[in-house]
Amino acid sequence: MAQTNDPLFDLLGFEVDPEETELLNINARRLKQLPEELCKFRRLKSLIADANELDVFPSIMFNFQLLEMLNLRANKIPRIPEGIRELCQLRYVFMDDNGLTELPDTLCDLPNMEWLQVSGNKLTSLPGQIGKLKTLSRLNASRNQIVRLPPSIVELSRLQQLLLQGNKLTSLPARFGEAFSDQVNVGLHDNPLAQPPIEVCEQGILAIRAYQDELQRSDAVVTPRLKVVLIGESLAGKTSLINALVEGKSNLTGIADRTHCVNIVQWFPTRDVVFEVYDFGGHEVYYMSHQYFIT
């Protein structure tokens, strides 16, 4: 295309009236930055600039005070500036596949946000105050590296879709199952979930709710269990040592009470840990049995 004296025409390939334009599509133009001429689009409500080569969030964006939809997918933008709160009309933000490493807390100050899409980035967390986005109906943070969800996520009462698959989540916040309707589309697969187990999560919100309710009722406590193995010659005092540990005082064992094969005793030094103590008989005839207990 031949160059003209009109930079906007050179960019778009057609004539446009900036004062009347509400939607602008400049995707896949290999742009490394947005041209200053775009400042003329004061009435802009939707900007599509995906699949370019932008490596910073364009500062020119803050000229678009009426902006409702921003699509910057498939660029190279590592962070969203805190000034994003100034674009208070934003309702739809699409920032997939950019290499984002974090989201600013000020993103949660946008009062009209309905759809936030940040999949395929390098996020390890979501903003702690994400629950402030009371109008949010769709959140897609899949294909990131998120290890923990903020507790306030359960305050997103209008959610219809919550996609978190392909992260590193090991647990869900308390009340997660209670907070959302069973009509909410929740994606949790491809996470190393243990609480609730992934098998429960894959059954949906109702199963998560039932699991968390039961967990709360039972007040489940996981007590660490450690294994201690005592091996030595016959009559070396192994059983006497265990007796002293368990009873809290010296208690020598007589010859008639020596251990035959193996004796397993539980020792509770505190309420927070259990030791399983394996006391092996010291006679050579018992040596072959050791392999079945020592792992």
Side-chain angles (χ1 to χ4, degrees), residues 109-272:
D109 294 331
L110 296 171
N112 301 303
M113 181 72 73
E114 296 181 27
W115 193 331
L116 177 60
Q117 191 138 326
V118 289
S119 64
N121 285 292
K122 299 178 181 179
L123 302 174
T124 58
S125 64
L126 295 175
Q129 299 300 313
I130 199 167
K132 292 168 61 178
L133 296 175
K134 300 301 184 183
T135 58
L136 194 67
S137 62
R138 288 177 173 83
L139 172 59
N140 185 348
S142 60
R143 298 185 295 115
N144 278 283
Q145 301 170 22
I146 298 171
V147 297
R148 186 178 298 104
L149 295 177
S152 71
I153 200 168
V154 301
E155 299 171 20
L156 298 175
S157 58
R158 295 192 183 181
L159 270 188
Q160 299 174 15
Q161 183 182 73
L162 176 60
L163 301 182
L164 297 165
Q165 61 267 27
N167 279 286
K168 298 182 178 180
L169 297 172
T170 58
S171 64
L172 298 179
R175 296 182 51 245
F176 186 91
E178 175 188 341
F180 303 120
S181 160
D182 60 331
Q183 302 301 313
V184 177
N185 177 19
V186 177
L188 290 167
H189 57 272
D190 294 331
N191 278 287
L193 281 161
Q195 195 73 293
I198 188 62
E199 295 82 4
V200 172
C201 296
E202 288 177 344
Q203 296 177 50
I205 285 293
L206 290 180
I208 294 172
R209 184 183 307 162
Y211 179 91
Q212 291 187 323
D213 286 348
E214 181 61 30
L215 193 65
Q216 185 176 15
R217 281 195 297 269
S218 63
D219 193 24
V221 177
V222 178
T223 303
R225 305 177 72 88
L226 301 175
K227 185 175 183 179
V228 177
V229 176
L230 292 183
I231 298 174
E233 295 182 358
S234 182
L235 301 177
K238 302 182 295 298
T239 303
S240 297
L241 173 60
I242 293 173
N243 290 340
L245 292 173
V246 173
E247 299 174 14
K249 61 181 180 179
S250 177
N251 185 358
L252 297 178
T253 303
I255 295 178
D257 297 322
R258 66 182 185 273
T259 302
H260 299 279
C261 192
V262 61
N263 186 35
I264 303 174
V265 178
Q266 289 192 335
W267 173 37
F268 300 85
T270 72
R271 294 195 301 179
D272 299 324

Side-chain angles (χ1 to χ4, degrees), residues 33 36 40 63 80 82 135 146 173 196 246 266 270 277:
Q33 60 184 17
E36 290 297 323
K40 300 176 182 179
N63 290 279
I80 299 174
E82 293 188 0
T135 58
I146 298 171
V246 173
Q266 289 192 335
T270 72
V277 185

Side-chain angles (χ1 to χ4, degrees), residues 12 23 30 77 97 99 103 112 119-120 131 151 182 184 186-187 192 197 232-233 261 275 288 290:
L12 303 175
L23 186 152
R30 296 184 178 178
I77 301 171
D97 302 304
L103 299 177
N112 301 303
S119 64
D182 60 331
V184 177
V186 177
E233 295 182 358
C261 192
F275 286 92
M288 288 296 296
H290 294 180

